[in-house]
Amino acid sequence: MKITGKSGVQKIYKNIYRIILPLAGNKPGPVNVYLITGKVVTLIDTGTLKTADILDKALSEIGVTFSDLQQIILTHGHVDHFGAAKKIQTGSVSHIDIAASSEDLDLIKYGLEVPAGQLLKYYKIMGIPLIFKLSLLLVNSVIKSLAEKCSVDRFLSDGDSITIGDYEARIVSTPGHTRGSICLFM
């Protein structure tokens, strides 16, 4: 497995590439997204909105642009996995289908938008001191800045089959990290 360029592009199998995208801080660590080329050019996860340009450069190392993508599969509804999907769609001259579990639709479509007043009420009920309430509100606003909300074109459920590149993958539902977490079994 060879890592090329500064972007962390790694060819891991025929027509399958791992792209390592940064996250701030050492934990939870970088985000892995995967590009599968072939019949149906597929991106699995997108990284955050802040790393869309890095992803674009990494894809260009492979010879792919946002406009070459036919589908994006989101493994779950956290901002580090869907945050750039809308920007990628907007940056493409053709439509890119976005697929995810319906269980994470609200996270992807609406984001973490709980009104500040509602959060403050919750924090009060929980007995959280004022300084921590303010810190939590700040963290929430930072998280919101890492993603653009987007629609989902196709819902994936346990046992479904989907073409990615030249491969057929089966969807395996793996709830826990989020309700709608999925894996692709090839």
Side-chain angles (χ1 to χ4, degrees):
M1 289 188 234
K2 182 181 173 192
I3 295 180
T4 63
K6 294 180 181 178
S7 61
V9 175
Q10 195 176 47
K11 185 172 185 176
I12 58 174
Y13 199 72
K14 182 183 175 199
N15 297 338
I16 301 176
Y17 302 86
R18 175 179 160 210
I19 301 168
I20 303 167
L21 299 173
L23 276 179
N26 293 328
K27 302 257 181 191
V31 176
N32 296 308
V33 303
Y34 295 88
L35 174 72
I36 297 91
T37 60
K39 184 171 57 174
V40 181
V41 181
T42 303
L43 184 66
I44 300 174
D45 292 330
T46 67
T48 68
L49 183 58
K50 308 276 187 209
T51 60
D53 292 337
I54 297 169
L55 175 61
D56 189 26
K57 287 176 187 165
L59 291 174
S60 71
E61 283 184 32
I62 303 165
V64 173
T65 68
F66 289 162
S67 294
D68 296 320
L69 298 174
Q70 294 166 279
Q71 68 183 351
I72 296 171
I73 298 174
L74 304 173
T75 60
H76 65 286
H78 285 159
V79 295
D80 54 330
H81 291 265
F82 81 86
K86 181 69 174 178
K87 183 171 184 171
I88 293 167
Q89 263 189 332
T90 304
S92 174
V93 296
S94 56
H95 179 73
I96 303 170
D97 281 332
I98 296 179
S101 168
S102 62
E103 292 289 332
D104 279 357
L105 177 61
D106 285 348
L107 291 173
I108 297 164
K109 190 172 180 179
Y110 303 112
L112 299 173
E113 292 194 19
V114 176
Q118 191 68 26
L119 282 174
L120 286 172
K121 286 179 188 175
Y122 175 74
Y123 297 156
K124 182 178 181 180
I125 291 169
M126 297 300 294
I128 295 174
L130 178 62
I131 188 70
F132 294 124
K133 289 179 194 176
L134 297 174
S135 298
L136 290 169
L137 287 174
L138 178 62
V139 167
N140 191 39
S141 69
V142 169
I143 289 171
K144 284 181 189 179
S145 76
L146 298 176
E148 284 184 318
K149 300 167 275 189
C150 68
S151 60
V152 174
D153 301 298
R154 178 176 177 188
F155 295 112
L156 302 173
S157 299
D158 192 56
D160 287 351
S161 275
I162 190 166
T163 302
I164 55 175
D166 294 327
Y167 304 97
E168 283 298 313
R170 186 170 43 90
I171 302 302
V172 179
S173 180
T174 55
H177 190 60
T178 66
R179 286 185 198 170
S181 291
I182 60 166
C183 291
L184 294 107
F185 180 74
M186 295 180 2

